[in-house]
Amino acid sequence: MYSKILILYFPPVVAQNAVVCYLTKKFDLIFNILGARVSNKKDGYMVLELRGTKSNYQKGVSFLKDQGVRVSTAEQEIWRDMEKCTHCGACTAVCPTGALSIKRPEMEVIFDQEKCSVCELCIFTCPTRAMGLYSKNTDEMMV
Amino acid sequence: MTSYKINKTYGEINDKIKKGDAVVVTAEEIIDIVKEQGPVTAAENVDVVTTGTFAPMCSSGVFINIGQFKPVIRTTKTWFNNVPAYSGVAAVDCFLGATATSEDDPLNKLHPGEFNYGGGHVIHDLVAGKKINLRAESYGTDCYPNRRIEKTITINDLPQAVMCNPRNGYQNYNCAINRSDKIKYTYMGTLKPGIGNANYSTSGQLSPLLNDPFFKTIGIGTRIFLGGAQGYVTWSGTQCKKDVQRSLNGVPLTPAGTIFVMGNLKEMSPEWLVGQSIRGYGVSLSVGLGIPIPILNEEMVKYTAISDDEIFTQIIDYGYDYQQGISKSYGQVSYAELKSGFITIKGEKIQTVPLSSMIKARKIADLLKSSIKRGKFLLGEPQQMF
């Protein structure tokens, strides 16, 4: 299962069309609207958590772009401060996507940012505050 | 009296260490050595086995003498970066505990609390050489008229700072689950409802007290690696229990022994004393601890060769039971199973979560090994056993 938080920008023309529901209908993707402002005559935006297989996810994102929706990743992303991380493993209890995992047999904590859904649960679970939320370039387009 | 084929004394091993001839291996390396060579040959060849652990150890703290001021003060309340230290001792002495929270911490008012700063963090900042705000109050006496002092200090300004941890290095500890339907934020980490995960905290086969299950070589005066410096075992730890259920190999099946340790904080390093913010629970300090086990005979080498698959602990519920003082076991699991990433409880595959850093534990055992090999670390012969 692949999951990512996206920011969708709808130009005024696109904002009038039904778009997001097709992510489920055509591509078997589950979405969770985390925030939105869309109106008929103006432009709008939507913060969406999108979940599904990686290939369906990619098809879904291409579909959005074909409809004229600008897609960018969530504004912020999680980073790990390697100086602070002690590899205790406490974070792996709460990470829902498996982005934080244990490499065995070394028992080293691995952070795979590709799998991170920016749910932020690790931030206050990490006992040394090694995980942090950082701003990201919002213009970066999704593949 | 048991008679051994191999008999070495602390003095003999220390002579070899001083000459740079001692054979030192870690508690992970000894496992295969004993498998290949057998215990008698291994005990003949190996002199010292090093251990290590790095995990939150709440019963830790520092006795600090802050030095005198003009006019002089007999402190009754002391704060370091707004974290209170116990001052019910002589004039400018105090004890800064690892779990003391900052005075303005909202605690669990908004549950689960974040607990961003406390005693453990002050200890880390002190050894990191950071500037600390020191504040103290007094009621004033004829001999000590000063009632309030405030100053920015670093560890170098403190006449004495002695780490003094009443309960460290727990010999075995519970594996925690949550059978309730609500998430629990515990000192064993975050526990998801409906047995969502199983948390444990040990370095297992590398753990100091699991390598000497009957305290045959660890006693008062044992020299240890503590927070990056050389410290000592100065007493048995609080809650230390020797009368417990054990496996056939002698290893306790439940939480058992603990040690009281001390060392000079001024010699320690921020890498091995790290402040901990445990969500919904409080602050603590992760302590780097390592003990060299002298291979006095083949019995000791057998204890050090015990591996994760031969060390067991009990699964305890922190959803309902622990709060009520019930210690019912929901199963016995080995640390090999726990370290594999999953255990099975009632046919369900449950994710396991470590809280103790194996990466750091291994580094401590390696550091101890190299300093003994280089003749920089001598064994401390216990003056009294527990």
Side-chain angles (χ1 to χ4, degrees), chain B residues 69-89:
Chain B
F69 294 78
K70 277 182 187 171
V72 291
I73 188 166
R74 176 257 182 276
T75 55
T76 49
K77 285 179 177 173
T78 312
W79 294 267
F80 294 88
N81 282 351
N82 211 24
V83 176
Y86 177 74
S87 307
V89 275

Side-chain angles (χ1 to χ4, degrees), chain A residues 84-95 100 102 104-109 121 124-129, chain B residues 54 114-116 190 192 197 200 274-277 279 339-341 351 353-360 362:
Chain A
K84 286 186 180 170
C85 175
T86 65
H87 297 277
C88 70
C91 55
T92 61
V94 296
C95 180
L100 286 156
I102 309 263
R104 294 181 161 84
E106 297 85 351
M107 301 301 286
E108 182 184 345
V109 174
L121 282 174
F124 292 112
T125 301
C126 171
T128 62
R129 297 285 184 267
Chain B
F54 184 85
E114 293 175 11
F115 299 98
N116 289 311
T190 302
K192 289 182 276 192
N197 52 310
Y200 67 98
V274 181
Q276 302 280 299
S277 301
R279 194 177 193 194
K339 282 185 186 170
S340 77
Q351 180 204 2
V353 174
L355 303 168
S356 176
S357 171
M358 284 305 300
I359 296 285
K360 293 258 187 188
R362 211 168 278 134

